[in-house]
Amino acid sequence: MKIRTHLSTLLPALLLVMQAAAGTIQGNVSDATGARVPEVALRLIEAASNRERRAATTAEGSFRFDGLPPGQYRLSAEKAGFNVLVRSLELPAEAGNPVHLILEVGAIRDSITVSAQRNTRDEALTPEAVAVTGAERLDARMPVTAVDVLRDMPGAYTQSQGYFTRPNIRGFEGNRVLVLVDGERLNNSRTPTSHVGTGMETGVVDPSMVESVELIRGSGSVLYGTDAVGGTINFITAGLAPSPDRWRVGVDLNPLLMSNGPGGRYSGAVSLLGPRFTARIHQAFENFSDYKAGAPVETGYLNSGRGYDPSTRLLTRSGYRTEATRAEARWHQGDRWTARAGYERRYAGNLAQPLQTSSLLVFSEREKYRGGVTVYGRGGVLRQVQVSGFWQALRRRDHTLAQSARTFQVTDSLRTPRTTGVDVQVNLAPGPRHVLTTGASYHRDHSEDRRFVVRGATPAVGGGLTAAEARAIQERLKNGDEALADYYRSRNPDVQTPNATFQNAALFLQEEWFAGRHLRVTAGVRLDHYRSRAFNTPGYDLFDYFPELPPEFGIEGMQSLRYVNTALTGSLGLLFTPRQGYSFYARLGRSYREPNLHDRFTAGTGHALSSASTSITVPNPALAPETGWNADVGLKLRLSRALVNIGYFNGSFRDFITSSGRAIPGVPKVEGPYGPLTVLQRSNIDRLRFQGVEAELEAPFRLGPGHFTPFANASTNRGDNLAAGTPVDPLHFPAVPFKSVMGARWASVSGRYWWEYRARAVATQDRLPAGSSYWSAGKARLGYTTHDLRVGYQVPLERATLTVNAGVENSGNRFYQELFSIFDVPARGRAYIAGLRFRFF
């Protein structure tokens, strides 16, 4: 009897969770004169589930969406020749009121982000400082690498060139910037966070597979965990939508050619699209030769010791080759669930930093398996459940030939971090004005290094190698002699980072409260549990070299090379919209970075134990995490004639980890094979503050048979070391003082043809601490301005689209260096670039 009573109470509650009464949103679309507009493309996105519904207005300009559960919605209307109109709606409040949309003539586009809040949201209606570059702009931009588009975004910058291009957000680079691919981590805990230009290798992301790039400036730790200190970048690859009526075969060809560093990228895909099943196979190849810098070399840019020949202007060893494969499939069960699976691999070989003769990156490879399922609720409280997982392996092999007056050595390293990740996200709608996003995530890095060192002297001593023999060994290793590499790995192991694991398990919770028509509140909290551990590793001879470890090291043997930590982070955002198109935002977020395996456990010297060594670094398992607070305030305007975003940021941070070791107080030098060695250890230092202003503007107006759009963005950044009372050193925190991008584009009303001009200006960095290496002549700190021009034309075809784009980058052939580039490498001079996009469906 009691059981029957409980069931009669619980069943209605469960039914309420799983489904709710359906509602309707209907209305019409007209232009500024009041005339109804037919064939307007409409997208309705439910805030709680991220489910998207599409429709088009009838010949009378009307539309209707039925079967909608209560909650918050985003409705956009788009038609060529008009601005994209976005409206926020609520059910059941709007159920009985027809929605009247008025389209203004213009060219203002719509941008949405899926990264800023782990849900699909309008860029202008989030309290984060976010920027999005979509598929249309990527096709026009024709980026050579996946991160090239960051140069055009406010608050972001890039360092170095070609395959080695790295992101910089608000003065942070390396593992202090979190890089995602389709929302899944690219960062791993084995990657060094050291000098400018190192860190996560974004070259392993194939640009031909990227459909949009989302940049979230400031803290992202609450949603994504460690590493999201300066910001988060999410590369979103092309999706697969089902064909609602019949089976279709699609073909996508996308070649790109460049004149400077002559070569190109050749990519294509074949898709099979059906009502329930979709699949795609994508293949890409790149082959770029050495490029030339601009001319002439201006005073102060380059000194004579860089190995650069101004007569040829050629950057030797700047070319590279890659190949990429991607296969994916999706199963669609109407609006109930979607399952997906995929495989991808990108291989790059014959890589070297330009002008460098002593080091070579033999190859870099990324391989990944991924899958997931998304289940949609039928209304009620439970709206969406996403479960996804991936396994990723990164393999990087490099070697160097280091020489001094009497000694030399060949060093060969193979790093193989492997990552397993699982993410569960649940979207709930406790009420029509609440969206609750909660879930759990887990990732585990397992790192193994295989490294050896072969040393010799001139003249050869005791049967040691001669210099000629060492160079011959290096050539054989460069050409892929794996048998020789295995021979030396077994006989001369010299591992600086032991085999180790890094684990992170987390719970997160975020509440969006639509407090009224004008106020939105977002609050989040995240609980992380971190665990790192090192294992006995052949060649990791720290304990052989130090048979008695001083207590100042904080190390008692392998059993002490492990660490467990728990962290709590949070964020609070406010968005006030007094009227349609006006949004004031404020956000406070906690930044957090857990010391990774390289930070905690790497030991040894830069040149192993050779006569060139003057110090040795020992691990520091007791490193504290890097933490901080980020505050953002600003205004976002989306008006009929302009888009304006302007914001101020202020970030305060502490306990940053030194990229190289510091002498341990009270520990004397130790005797090495070639003399005394200073004992170093990575440590927590500095209290830093970064602050600045970021702004962007677009203001299209009608000009002739099209729209003319002036645009501009600007960013300032001031970094201070509060502990030392000095500016930050760009060697460790590359804060770009001022960057602006401005120009104009014109496009026909139909979008069939267009042209664009843009100029990028970067200021000289003169705020440097005493003793900074960037005071030296030739260091990459001087400002510059470059000019680009692009044009495009879309050929009208019945069942296909063919777009031809062309442009000239650095049209003035300016000689310059990207600020704080590794090895101060000059950037590419004038380059002609052409791209083609053919899509058949």
Side-chain angles (χ1 to χ4, degrees), residues 588-612:
L588 180 66
R590 180 71 165 168
S591 291
Y592 185 92
R593 189 177 85 90
E594 181 72 9
N596 63 23
L597 298 178
H598 181 271
D599 294 332
R600 289 198 189 280
F601 302 141
T602 293
T605 68
H607 299 289
L609 296 179
S610 71
S611 61

Side-chain angles (χ1 to χ4, degrees), residues 7 75 135 158 163 165 168 183 194 196 213 345 354 400 409 470 480 485 498 545 586 601 664 666 674 709 729 787 808:
L7 286 177
L75 176 63
T158 62
Y163 182 87
T165 304
N168 172 359
S194 54
V196 171
V213 180
R345 174 183 179 267
T400 61
Q409 66 180 42
Y545 192 71
F601 302 141
I664 306 174
Y674 298 94
T709 307
D729 191 338
H787 305 269
V808 53

Side-chain angles (χ1 to χ4, degrees), residues 392-462:
Q392 177 175 273
L394 295 172
R395 299 175 67 239
R396 175 188 170 116
R397 182 180 166 199
D398 53 359
H399 65 252
T400 61
L401 174 60
Q403 292 181 280
S404 63
R406 297 192 324 58
T407 65
F408 54 87
Q409 66 180 42
V410 176
T411 304
D412 188 282
S413 302
L414 177 64
R415 298 204 302 258
T416 56
R418 298 183 296 274
T419 303
T420 301
V422 179
D423 189 88
V424 179
Q425 178 174 320
V426 179
N427 289 8
L428 305 169
R433 293 190 174 184
H434 294 269
V435 175
L436 193 65
T437 303
T438 186
S441 63
Y442 170 83
H443 77 268
R444 180 182 186 271
D445 291 331
H446 178 76
S447 174
E448 292 183 2
D449 285 12
R450 300 182 68 189
R451 180 178 184 269
F452 66 85
V453 178
V454 182
R455 303 184 185 89
T458 305
V461 177

Side-chain angles (χ1 to χ4, degrees), residues 571-685:
S571 66
L572 176 65
L574 302 175
L575 186 79
F576 176 59
T577 308
R579 55 179 296 186
Q580 190 75 26
Y582 292 76
S583 298
F584 297 88
Y585 70 92
R587 183 177 184 270
L588 180 66
R590 180 71 165 168
S591 291
Y592 185 92
R593 189 177 85 90
E594 181 72 9
N596 63 23
L597 298 178
H598 181 271
D599 294 332
R600 289 198 189 280
F601 302 141
T602 293
T605 68
H607 299 289
L609 296 179
S610 71
S611 61
S613 301
T614 60
S615 63
I616 184 168
T617 300
V618 299
N620 187 355
L623 283 172
E626 300 176 345
T627 59
W629 288 98
N630 291 263
D632 285 86
V633 295
L635 168 67
K636 301 179 182 182
L637 298 179
R638 178 187 273 139
L639 308 177
S640 61
R641 299 299 180 190
L643 278 176
V644 180
N645 295 328
I646 183 169
Y648 166 78
F649 69 90
N650 189 310
S652 298
F653 309 91
R654 62 182 304 165
D655 291 330
F656 276 101
I657 299 167
T658 54
S659 58
S660 55
R662 292 194 169 189
I664 306 174
V667 174
K669 291 185 177 182
V670 298
E671 280 301 318
Y674 298 94
L677 298 173
T678 302
V679 182
L680 309 177
Q681 194 175 50
R682 286 178 176 81
S683 57
N684 295 104
I685 60 167

Side-chain angles (χ1 to χ4, degrees), residues 731-762:
L731 184 64
H732 306 292
F733 303 101
V736 177
F738 176 80
K739 184 197 82 169
S740 68
V741 175
M742 59 186 66
R745 59 178 168 265
W746 183 90
S748 63
V749 171
S750 64
R752 185 169 297 171
Y753 47 93
W754 60 273
W755 62 261
E756 178 182 284
Y757 159 79
R758 70 176 56 215
R760 181 166 63 102
V762 176

Side-chain angles (χ1 to χ4, degrees), residues 714-735:
S715 313
T716 68
N717 193 357
R718 176 189 173 103
D720 293 283
N721 186 329
L722 302 181
T726 64
V728 297
D729 191 338
L731 184 64
H732 306 292
F733 303 101

Side-chain angles (χ1 to χ4, degrees), residues 9 48 77 94 153 180 261 408 434 471 555 591 678 731 810:
T9 304
E94 307 277 359
M153 292 182 172
L180 308 172
F408 54 87
H434 294 269
R471 285 191 292 271
I555 305 170
S591 291
T678 302
L731 184 64
N810 191 6

